[in-house]
Amino acid sequence: MGIEFDRVGFITMFTVNAVLWMKLLFCLIKQGGAKVKAGARAPEDAKFFKNRKQGYINDEPIDDKQRHLLENVERWNNIVGNDLEQLPFGILIAWVSLPFTKSVPAYVACTIIFGLSRVLFSISYAYALQPWRSVFYSTALLAVLGLAINGFVGLADL
């Protein structure tokens, strides 16, 4: 007796995984671009960016434009950091619960809600949209909780 996967659940999870990976890649690119514009990359990287001084520590006075650039760096650092904290566990719980899920429609719904909420969280964070950022963050967490409960209920039936 091997582990069986529901086809729709598998396709849904695979698709959500691919979308979340592309979203993370996009966020990493945006994070790197924000660092370049703010001059916040490693000092040795300056040779790759003409006319842009780079370095972790800048003793020069900060004007409003530079402050905005540095705030944008921190925003993208936080978006990427949050993804690195939340995505692995959400994806792990989704994959692990798939073979044992009690309700495939609930699994599919929670998986889609998780993926969509994580994308909308990043957009909301990037554009400073509160309370939407918190709403989407919480919705993604609740979706993962739903996946875990659905998996545990299915395990109880074994």
Side-chain angles (χ1 to χ4, degrees):
M1 177 179 174
I3 295 177
E4 294 183 21
F5 292 94
D6 177 80
R7 187 174 193 280
V8 173
F10 185 84
I11 290 169
T12 301
M13 191 58 229
F14 181 81
T15 303
V16 167
N17 265 155
V19 168
L20 289 176
W21 179 81
M22 288 184 280
K23 181 199 81 71
L24 179 60
L25 183 61
F26 174 81
C27 289
L28 289 168
I29 291 168
K30 292 294 285 184
Q31 177 191 38
K35 286 182 177 185
V36 169
K37 287 179 185 174
R41 290 190 48 126
E44 64 272 14
D45 292 352
K47 61 185 169 192
F48 297 118
F49 308 105
K50 289 184 178 182
N51 303 322
R52 289 200 189 264
K53 183 178 176 185
Q54 300 292 319
Y56 298 128
I57 299 171
N58 189 340
D59 295 333
E60 298 172 17
I62 298 175
D63 60 10
D64 286 342
K65 180 181 177 186
Q66 184 64 20
R67 183 178 320 284
H68 174 74
L69 291 171
L70 290 171
E71 287 172 355
N72 196 41
V73 168
E74 192 60 26
R75 182 171 299 281
W76 283 103
N77 285 344
N78 290 343
I79 291 169
V80 169
N82 190 273
D83 276 350
L84 294 176
E85 293 168 359
Q86 300 299 319
L87 292 182
F89 288 105
I91 290 169
L92 179 67
I93 289 170
W95 277 115
V96 170
S97 68
L98 178 57
F100 309 107
T101 192
K102 175 72 174 177
S103 167
V104 172
Y107 176 88
V108 169
C110 286
T111 302
I112 291 171
I113 291 168
F114 168 66
L116 183 60
S117 294
R118 289 305 306 173
V119 169
L120 293 173
F121 165 82
S122 294
I123 292 169
S124 298
Y125 206 139
Y127 289 98
L129 302 175
Q130 272 291 25
W132 295 110
R133 183 181 93 207
S134 295
V135 168
F136 293 127
Y137 175 86
S138 299
T139 302
L141 288 179
L142 291 173
V144 174
L145 180 61
L147 287 164
I149 291 170
N150 195 18
F152 278 123
V153 172
L155 276 172
D157 286 348
L158 291 179

